[in-house]
Amino acid sequence: MRIALYQPDIPQNTGTIIRTAVCLGLAVDLIEPCGFVLSDRHFRRAGLDYLAAATIVRHPSWAAFRAAHAAPARLVLLTTQAECAYTQFAYRETDVLLAGRESGGVPV
């Protein structure tokens, strides 16, 4: 399982998600462009010492990310509009959990 962040806007959120991913043993995909520079002090502060242990793969575009994660990977959109609760969903080991941009969501 992986976590993907689509064009994240807020460095603190990104750092926090990366820190959580490290604790759970998950890799993180960053789909660029990001709304901040990855060396941003807010990003580093939120990531704390976990950034050095993180597995982060940067993708220059949505198309590059999609090409890298074809079948059997399944995109699971993290959304407030879901039809079932996250606790009732049947996750798979090959799932990629996708969070949209804070200001605009994900591409349609």
Side-chain angles (χ1 to χ4, degrees):
M1 189 173 299
R2 307 175 69 84
I3 297 176
L5 304 177
Y6 177 77
Q7 298 181 354
D9 289 322
I10 303 172
Q12 297 90 331
N13 290 352
T14 303
T16 300
I17 290 171
I18 290 171
R19 186 174 70 227
T20 302
V22 169
C23 291
L24 296 173
L26 304 177
V28 176
D29 293 283
L30 291 179
I31 305 163
E32 298 184 13
C34 296
F36 55 91
V37 178
L38 288 180
S39 62
D40 186 298
R41 67 181 174 89
H42 298 294
F43 171 69
R44 296 221 169 268
R45 182 179 300 143
L48 301 171
D49 294 334
Y50 292 83
L51 291 178
T55 301
I56 300 172
V57 178
R58 294 170 64 180
H59 304 276
S61 67
W62 174 250
F65 168 76
R66 291 299 292 144
H69 293 289
R74 179 176 68 164
L75 286 180
V76 178
L77 180 61
L78 303 177
T79 176
T80 60
Q81 306 298 315
E83 293 180 9
C84 71
Y86 73 93
T87 55
Q88 297 174 348
F89 188 78
Y91 296 94
R92 298 179 190 161
E93 192 174 319
T94 56
D95 284 346
V96 178
L97 307 179
L98 176 64
R101 183 177 204 151
E102 293 95 340
S103 65
V106 295
V108 189

